[in-house]
Amino acid sequence: MAHSSLGPGLDGILVIDKPIGPTSHDIVGLVRRLAATRRVGHGGTLDPFASGVLPVFLGKATRVVEFHLADRKAYRATVCFGASSTTDDLEGELTPVEHVPDRSSLEAALPGLVGEILQRPPAYSAIKVAGRRAYAMARAGETVELAERAVTIHELELEAWDATDPDRPIAILDVTCSAGTYIRALARDLGERLGSAAYLGALRRTAAGSFDVAGALALDDVRAAAADGSDGLRILLRPVDDGLERFPAVALTVAEVAAVARGQYIRPEAGFPGGAERYRLLTPHGALAAIATDAGTGRLAPDKVLVAAEAVA
């Protein structure tokens, strides 16, 4: 997808299909080196054993990451029954149990986990307790008590059931959920709900907001593009405001762009629909100039300004 930038450098979004192995931070570090820029961030952590959609934001796009963090996510999860895990996933110490569910009991239990539920995050998580990471406390042998919190499971469907090993049946689940949901905890709770135990054996994120795996880039493709220099990477970038279509677009005149660059409220000649959470203010060329809020009386207040005053002087 072609990309329009308001200034020099690489500004936009790379939607990467993260492989199993590297951390999300590793992917950011790689992109930072390939793009020769320090302004790189990602839109939601994936554990090293997980793969799938990882939006990476470069340059001016890092200013809008916060608007993506609450996006719903979709996953394909492999849930292994017949044992619990200290980490709620395949990397922890496993403790076998005798009882395992059958397919029909699993299918009967899934609807009860759809909707808003209370979920206790895994002890091995990055949540801070009195200033310390929970996983660090757990690794040190300390007891970690994390409070339950509300999350929303929008969809939870059984994709496949494998009972080849009757003592260790495996379910493949498609999950669509709110940000902040731990799929590891969902696997653990599903096992407990069925009077058994379960842990997460594999995880693939298939979507993050409007970014899906079908449009994600393999790391090798990103490396190959970077071999041609910044122009090679630039053609892979999605626009800075991609994925923010829920914010109505407002086309600005050159004079209005200049006012926004100075942080001034504007009364757009083109008008704008009322009642939106925020608005995307676009230059006459269609590039994102700012994110704004409704200031009332027909005016918009720039919130995140991405265009420099000198660029439109």
Side-chain angles (χ1 to χ4, degrees), residues 10 28 31-40 58-59:
L10 296 173
V28 167
V31 172
R32 184 177 288 132
R33 292 192 297 275
L34 294 176
T37 179
R38 295 192 59 80
R39 296 178 64 189
V40 181
L58 288 78

Side-chain angles (χ1 to χ4, degrees), residues 6 63 252-266 281 283 288-291 300-313:
L6 291 174
R63 300 289 308 283
L252 305 184
T253 65
V254 172
E256 289 166 351
V257 173
V260 165
R262 296 190 293 269
Q264 297 174 341
Y265 287 21
I266 59 168
L281 307 185
T283 73
L288 183 66
I291 301 293
L300 291 175
D303 181 10
K304 298 285 185 181
V305 177
L306 282 75
V307 60
E310 58 270 19
V312 292

Side-chain angles (χ1 to χ4, degrees), residues 104-118:
S104 61
S105 61
L106 171 63
E107 290 177 323
L110 293 181
L113 287 169
V114 175
E116 184 174 293
I117 62 173
L118 290 177

Side-chain angles (χ1 to χ4, degrees), residues 85-88 92-93 120-129 132-146 184:
S85 167
T86 52
T87 59
D88 297 328
E93 181 180 345
R120 175 172 51 84
Y124 285 81
S125 65
I127 295 174
K128 286 189 175 181
V129 179
R132 298 175 62 196
R133 298 290 185 186
Y135 64 76
M137 298 172 64
R139 287 172 183 167
E142 299 178 42
T143 300
V144 180
E145 295 290 343
L146 297 177
R184 286 183 287 151

Side-chain angles (χ1 to χ4, degrees), residues 15-29:
V15 180
I16 292 176
D17 186 347
K18 188 190 90 67
I20 295 172
T23 66
S24 299
H25 182 73
D26 291 336
I27 301 299
V28 167

